[in-house]
Amino acid sequence: MSVKAFAAKLFAKRIHAKTQKWANNPVETQQKVFEALIKEAAQTQFGKDHNFSAIKTFSDFAQKVPIRDYEGLKHYVDKVVKGEENVLWKGKPLYFAKTSGTTSGAKYIPLTKESMPFHIQAARNAILSYIHETGKAEFVKGKMIFLQGSPLLEEKNGIKLGRLSGIVAHFVPKYLQKNRMPSWETNCIEDWETKVNAIVEETINEDMAVISGIPSWVQMYFEKLAAKANKPVGEIFKNFNLFIYGGVNYEPYRAKFENLIGRKVDSIELFPASEGFFAYQDSQSEKGMLLLLNSGIFYEFIKADEFFTENPKRHTIGEVELGVNYVLIISTNAGLWGYNIGDTVQFTSLKPYRVIVSGRIKHYISAFGEHVIGKEVESALQEAMEGTDVRVNEFTVAPQITPTEGLPYHEWFIEFDSEESEQPNNLEDFALKIDNAMRKQNVYYDDLIVGNVLRTLVITKVPKNGFQEYMKSIGKLGGQNKLPRLSNDRKIAQFFEIKK
């Protein structure tokens, strides 16, 4: 065993012990975080406006601080962007993570001196957790690549801003910098396709051991690698055995990845966002990701089916149940308070608390009252693919409310692998398999099919690279950008209708 691998194992053991300490005391841990947040922010403008000095319990907090999204908090954020101090959190932020908004244009999410270290520690601890559980550590000697946004930062009133992944690139530990790829120059390339081509050239002759990124964009990298070398990625990188990902569910991509790699590799799922690093996969055998309860974030959970009612109940960590779809609400040491990040989660374990990301509260289909969520469509497609050679590159689903003939239906836009052998022999049979899987999961959808309100879903084939073309057309190719699994309208569908 190499010295580096031995040291990694020792460090992993130490971090595991620390993790167990707070994970085994979840309610107490969250209470300490809550009290610290309220105390630290009491003299900020937000703290004074919401009478933080009088908050003694979570009940007090829930009465004084309403649930908000970015729009609801924007007038405070605007003051921070203008350079004002002590608005949402003490002092000024270190950075703004700039993200795309829907109604407000660009969103500026603050990252503070207190919040930034947790983004770095969580990613590190995910790898250390894997080392502790599996005993595998030799990969630390090999090269590692993190497909991410450009690290070039702008500045606004003395505060640097950029994409979260680009900001994080400035915090890579020294002991990883020699192993890390791509080069700084390549990482700074803004155009995603140009960047991926440069990464292929830079890495194709290297000993890549760890590869990380959002699956849809890593897939693009793998396809270009395999095409250039004319062999599977696993033969190009013989020591590549760990894939780290976040942002979207890996399962719809897994079969395609294993085909591109030529073998199975271990994977670690992360749940990072500009607003905080919420969870990481701490076990290769247990479902879900460990919710990070000691990372300067206080969590609340609102049942998704109650979220749009007048006064939905706000649950704390000790009140959650297994398998319920919750909207995730956070208050953080970056100055976000009662903040709805838009993601929904389900708990897979309560000892310790592990979650899966089940979708987005705004990404659903309920054109007929069916309440279909992202987890359901991903699971249904996965079930339909089991035992087949079908490979799916990407997909999204939209309702067809006014078809030219027949009953309305859900339209599945699917980009299959270009190889004939990896496409369904019979598209209608494959659609029926997905439909049956959907009906088993969602009783509302089943009722609509049985009641002849909807007919069996319809699959529309998307040509190769069709979704990449769509993302490029809206200026969201690559980086942290993700294709919505579900839309309650036909905005994405219209792009492909025009292409016909």
Side-chain angles (χ1 to χ4, degrees), residues 313-334:
K313 180 170 173 52
R314 297 160 67 168
H315 301 270
T316 55
I317 193 65
E319 302 170 314
V320 296
E321 304 168 47
L322 292 173
V324 175
N325 206 35
Y326 291 103
V327 179
L328 184 63
I329 308 296
I330 58 169
S331 296
T332 77
N333 55 7

Side-chain angles (χ1 to χ4, degrees), residues 7 39 73 79 94 122 135 148 172 209 320 329 332 376 434 461:
K39 182 180 178 182
L73 210 61
K79 290 181 179 183
L94 287 180
Q148 57 194 184
V172 176
V320 296
I329 308 296
T332 77
E376 291 169 345
I434 300 174
K461 278 189 177 182

Side-chain angles (χ1 to χ4, degrees), residues 421-440:
S421 61
E422 294 178 344
Q423 298 185 25
N425 295 325
N426 186 309
L427 207 58
E428 289 186 3
D429 285 351
F430 190 69
L432 188 59
K433 279 186 179 181
I434 300 174
D435 205 70
N436 287 336
M438 281 297 307
R439 291 173 66 179
K440 281 190 289 183

Side-chain angles (χ1 to χ4, degrees), residues 38 42-43 47-48 50-56:
I38 298 302
Q43 298 308 310
K48 291 174 182 176
H50 295 80
N51 200 13
F52 272 24
S53 59
I55 292 176
K56 305 300 179 189

Side-chain angles (χ1 to χ4, degrees), residues 236-256:
I236 302 169
F237 306 138
K238 296 188 185 301
N239 291 313
F240 167 46
N241 283 297
L242 182 59
F243 174 51
I244 303 173
Y245 68 94
V248 298
N249 184 4
Y250 180 40
E251 291 311 313
Y253 300 93
R254 190 180 291 276
K256 174 68 175 176

Side-chain angles (χ1 to χ4, degrees), residues 233-235 237-241 257-258 261-265:
V233 173
E235 287 185 30
F237 306 138
K238 296 188 185 301
N239 291 313
F240 167 46
N241 283 297
F257 266 57
E258 288 175 0
I261 297 165
R263 54 183 162 82
K264 293 184 177 182
V265 298

Side-chain angles (χ1 to χ4, degrees), residues 255-462:
K256 174 68 175 176
F257 266 57
E258 288 175 0
N259 187 50
L260 283 166
I261 297 165
R263 54 183 162 82
K264 293 184 177 182
V265 298
D266 286 351
S267 61
I268 302 173
E269 183 176 8
L270 310 178
F271 185 9
S274 299
E275 296 87 352
F277 202 124
F278 306 121
Y280 61 73
Q281 182 181 347
D282 68 318
S283 172
Q284 292 290 301
S285 58
E286 300 294 332
K287 187 179 181 184
M289 295 173 283
L290 182 69
L291 189 65
L292 303 181
L293 302 175
N294 72 328
S295 297
I297 302 170
F298 179 72
Y299 299 94
E300 299 176 56
F301 308 90
I302 298 176
K303 292 181 179 179
D305 58 6
E306 297 176 4
F307 185 72
F308 294 107
T309 59
E310 191 171 341
N311 285 302
K313 180 170 173 52
R314 297 160 67 168
H315 301 270
T316 55
I317 193 65
E319 302 170 314
V320 296
E321 304 168 47
L322 292 173
V324 175
N325 206 35
Y326 291 103
V327 179
L328 184 63
I329 308 296
I330 58 169
S331 296
T332 77
N333 55 7
L336 302 176
W337 302 101
Y339 189 87
N340 169 24
I341 67 166
D343 285 323
T344 57
V345 299
Q346 290 180 9
F347 284 88
T348 59
S349 165
L350 302 183
K351 288 184 179 180
Y353 284 93
R354 293 193 181 100
V355 297
I356 58 168
V357 181
S358 53
R360 298 279 293 169
I361 192 63
K362 290 182 179 178
H363 292 170
Y364 60 90
I365 297 179
S366 199
F368 307 91
E370 59 270 50
H371 310 297
V372 170
I373 62 173
K375 175 181 174 289
E376 291 169 345
V377 295
E378 289 175 338
S379 297
L381 180 61
Q382 184 71 17
E383 185 174 326
M385 290 168 62
E386 282 174 8
T388 75
D389 293 324
V390 173
R391 302 285 181 267
V392 169
N393 290 340
E394 192 60 279
F395 78 101
T396 192
V397 188
Q400 176 51 274
I401 299 170
T402 55
T404 52
E405 57 181 275
L407 292 171
Y409 54 87
H410 284 187
E411 188 168 9
W412 287 57
F413 293 86
I414 303 180
E415 181 185 329
F416 294 101
D417 194 279
S418 54
E419 297 290 329
E420 282 292 328
S421 61
E422 294 178 344
Q423 298 185 25
N425 295 325
N426 186 309
L427 207 58
E428 289 186 3
D429 285 351
F430 190 69
L432 188 59
K433 279 186 179 181
I434 300 174
D435 205 70
N436 287 336
M438 281 297 307
R439 291 173 66 179
K440 281 190 289 183
Q441 291 184 90
N442 188 308
V443 66
Y444 305 109
Y445 182 74
D446 183 55
D447 287 344
L448 291 166
I449 297 287
V450 171
N452 287 322
V453 176
L454 293 178
R455 61 180 162 114
T456 301
L457 66 86
V458 173
I459 294 175
T460 295
K461 278 189 177 182
V462 171

